[in-house]
Amino acid sequence: MNSHQLFRNSRFRLALWYALVMGVILSLSGYGMYRALVQAKWAALEREIESIAGTLHDSLEPMLPISEAPTLVLQQIFPELCVVGQTCNTNPTLIQRHTIGISDRQTYYIRLFDNRGNLLAFSPNQPTKLTKNLDPASWQTLRSPNGIRYRQFTIILHSAAAHQGVNSSNPTTSWGYLQIGRTLESFDVEVKQFQWILAFWFPIALSGVGISSWWLSGLAMQPIYESYQQQKEFTANAAHELRSPLASLLATVEAILRIPQSNPQDIKTMLQTVERQGRRLSNLIADLLFLTSLEHNSSSPQLFQPCCLNDLIGDLTEEFLELATFAKIDLISQIPDGEIYVFGNEPQLYRLVSNLITNAIHYTPNDGQVVVSLTACDRTAFITVKDTGIGIPPSEQARIFERFYRVDSHRDRKTGGTGLGLAIARAISHHHQGDITVKSQLGKGSLFTIHLPCISQTLG
């Protein structure tokens, strides 16, 4: 399986997991909201029924004397209701409609029972085939033959004598029961609407989750893919860098084996070539190990100590002065009188600056100039290496710190570089909590700036 197929499959699996997790979250959230809305409307509906039942209960109880016949009392109080055994008036007047305090007669119905549970009166709009036997449960949910549901509430009615304290201990003072119910047709319609909304929008939301999951998985996989590509490129570059000196070394060894022992001078020359190639391989491997240790923070910050940058820049300028003179380049150092200290590893800082000076000298033509300066501001030390060399194209400036990357591979081969100098410089600066930047123009030179946090600055 090639790398593209591997990453595509990984992205698909990651997107699938994103979609599954988000789908579960959306499902639970949607169901939770649906249940919360339904429960809220159900609770509001029951409160409304209880409120109407309480109003009727408080209005009717004082009008219910025990001494009179129940049917006569009901006809006087509820001219709208149908009394059991009598003809029902299905067209009450406006005044009669409001006698019981309910204007929406299509939604609510009333039933009255005596204290023995016998049905006395009922609303004409009560559900069909409703049993005449009393169910004393406070709340009931009924379903009519045509499928319409009803919610019913039962409350006890006491006679006026019970309120006046007459025979209050006698259970017969309980006049009967009041049942008030309402149709759940509108409630069920709204619940159906909620269900249809969920059924319609949930697949759309899942589709959006799937598309966004694929996009997010691509974003998540992008750094991994780029890292893999860099690692792949690094492996290829390392193999190429190692293969060239190894091939040269093996060719030299084979030539030595063919030379007669009578030519010791030729053998000595070829052995020197073998030694040179071996050292190049050794230096390359050492640089790779050093760069790896820096990128993995293998060097403990506990080994850091105060380092004087003034002395470090001065020593490097003296060391590279002979190389610069040989290349006909004017090497200048600008060091302030006050000492500037940073907390770090002195050999690593030495290598950091020396790599920049070496590059500046190698890429600056004859009669050019390289200026190394040191300044400090706001507890930050700045080391700049400015040259009048060939410069770096703007399109290449972002990649010059990559391992084995060369702007001009032919020139770098000639000077013996491996393309690790700037990568090591950046790794050292990051290891010291600093940074390195570059500004360059073709044909005018480059300016490399090292930023390091300083721990003290003594003014001269």
Side-chain angles (χ1 to χ4, degrees):
M1 183 182 295
N2 58 42
S3 60
H4 293 286
Q5 185 66 28
L6 177 64
F7 278 97
R8 190 178 296 110
N9 291 342
S10 299
R11 181 181 181 182
F12 176 77
R13 287 193 296 268
L14 185 59
L16 182 62
W17 277 109
Y18 278 158
L20 286 176
V21 172
M22 289 302 299
V24 171
I25 294 175
L26 282 177
S27 300
L28 294 178
S29 301
Y31 181 74
M33 293 179 61
Y34 164 76
R35 292 299 303 170
L37 288 173
V38 171
Q39 290 293 339
K41 292 191 70 65
W42 185 264
L45 181 144
E46 288 189 337
R47 285 196 301 270
E48 183 180 344
I49 295 175
E50 284 184 329
S51 175
I52 295 175
T55 301
L56 289 175
H57 174 274
D58 295 341
S59 301
L60 296 178
E61 276 193 340
M63 303 169 63
L64 298 173
I66 295 179
S67 58
E68 300 183 35
T71 54
L72 297 176
V73 174
L74 292 178
Q75 287 177 337
Q76 295 174 1
I77 300 175
F78 299 109
E80 174 189 3
L81 298 183
C82 299
V83 179
V84 175
Q86 297 184 12
T87 304
C88 184
N89 180 19
T90 58
N91 296 311
T93 64
L94 182 63
I95 296 177
Q96 289 174 334
R97 285 201 200 110
H98 289 274
T99 305
I100 58 172
I102 302 176
S103 57
D104 190 358
R105 298 176 61 256
Q106 299 300 321
T107 302
Y108 290 91
Y109 67 88
I110 294 175
R111 304 178 78 204
L112 288 165
F113 297 84
D114 61 17
N115 57 3
R116 297 183 181 84
N118 298 317
L119 181 62
L120 299 177
F122 55 90
S123 297
N125 64 326
Q126 71 170 2
T128 57
K129 297 186 179 180
L130 196 61
T131 178
K132 295 184 178 181
N133 298 324
L134 174 67
D135 186 345
S138 297
W139 287 101
Q140 302 170 60
T141 301
L142 313 173
R143 184 180 295 273
S144 65
N146 57 1
I148 299 176
R149 296 195 308 152
Y150 294 85
R151 188 63 172 165
Q152 184 173 272
F153 179 66
T154 303
I155 188 172
I156 299 176
L157 291 172
H158 297 277
S159 64
H163 290 280
Q164 297 171 2
V166 180
N167 296 327
S168 58
S169 60
N170 189 347
T172 58
T173 57
S174 174
W175 191 90
Y177 300 88
L178 168 66
Q179 277 186 349
I180 181 169
R182 62 158 292 165
T183 177
L184 297 178
E185 192 171 6
S186 60
F187 173 81
D188 289 340
V189 168
E190 292 185 11
V191 171
K192 281 289 185 182
Q193 289 176 348
F194 290 152
Q195 293 173 350
W196 276 109
I197 290 173
L198 288 176
F200 177 76
W201 285 108
F202 188 70
I204 297 177
L206 281 184
S207 301
V209 167
I211 295 173
S212 61
S213 297
W214 180 256
W215 178 68
L216 289 174
S217 63
L219 290 181
M221 294 294 295
Q222 187 65 28
I224 302 174
Y225 182 75
E226 292 176 356
S227 177
Y228 173 80
Q229 290 297 110
Q230 291 176 358
Q231 191 70 24
K232 185 178 178 181
E233 184 179 352
F234 165 74
T235 303
N237 290 334
H240 178 72
E241 294 293 335
L242 292 171
R243 181 176 57 188
S244 298
L246 277 175
S248 177
L249 188 148
L250 291 174
T252 305
V253 171
E254 289 178 1
I256 292 175
L257 293 175
R258 293 191 180 97
I259 293 177
Q261 296 296 325
S262 59
N263 297 326
Q265 186 62 35
D266 292 340
I267 294 176
K268 182 179 179 180
T269 302
M270 291 184 177
L271 287 176
Q272 289 175 349
T273 303
V274 171
E275 181 187 13
R276 185 169 59 255
Q277 297 294 344
R279 289 186 181 278
R280 183 181 176 187
L281 283 173
S282 177
N283 292 334
L284 176 60
I285 294 173
D287 287 345
L288 287 174
L289 292 175
F290 178 67
L291 184 58
T292 302
S293 67
L294 287 176
E295 291 179 345
H296 291 82
N297 293 322
S298 299
S299 178
S300 174
Q302 296 177 354
L303 301 177
F304 286 3
Q305 59 184 1
C307 303
C308 181
L309 294 181
N310 305 63
D311 297 339
L312 187 143
I313 299 299
D315 293 344
L316 283 171
T317 304
E318 293 179 4
E319 179 180 338
F320 283 95
L321 185 60
E322 183 178 353
L323 177 62
T325 303
F326 179 78
K328 297 181 181 180
I329 294 173
D330 189 12
L331 179 60
I332 302 173
S333 63
Q334 297 175 347
I335 305 175
D337 296 332
E339 294 183 337
I340 299 174
Y341 284 85
V342 297
F343 199 65
N345 184 301
E346 188 169 353
Q348 292 182 8
L349 294 174
Y350 187 92
R351 187 169 186 179
L352 165 62
V353 182
S354 66
N355 283 356
L356 296 182
I357 297 176
T358 301
N359 278 354
I361 293 175
H362 285 167
Y363 288 99
T364 300
N366 294 344
D367 301 324
Q369 187 181 74
V370 175
V371 179
V372 183
S373 62
L374 173 65
T375 58
C377 180
D378 295 332
R379 302 191 66 81
T380 301
F382 300 94
I383 304 173
T384 60
V385 179
K386 183 178 181 181
D387 62 65
T388 57
I390 60 175
I392 305 171
S395 59
E396 307 288 342
Q397 294 179 17
R399 300 194 59 190
I400 60 174
F401 295 104
E402 296 178 6
R403 292 173 290 186
F404 295 116
Y405 186 79
R406 298 184 183 90
V407 178
D408 187 346
S409 59
H410 176 73
R411 174 182 290 268
D412 220 311
R413 290 286 185 193
K414 184 178 179 180
T415 57
T418 60
L420 293 176
L422 291 179
I424 292 175
R426 183 179 66 171
I428 293 174
S429 63
H430 288 175
H431 189 57
H432 287 74
Q433 308 301 317
D435 196 10
I436 181 171
T437 58
V438 60
K439 294 180 180 179
S440 183
Q441 291 183 350
L442 283 176
K444 294 185 178 181
S446 304
L447 173 64
F448 287 85
T449 305
I450 303 170
H451 310 255
L452 295 172
C454 61
I455 56 175
S456 66
Q457 176 183 0
T458 304
L459 299 176

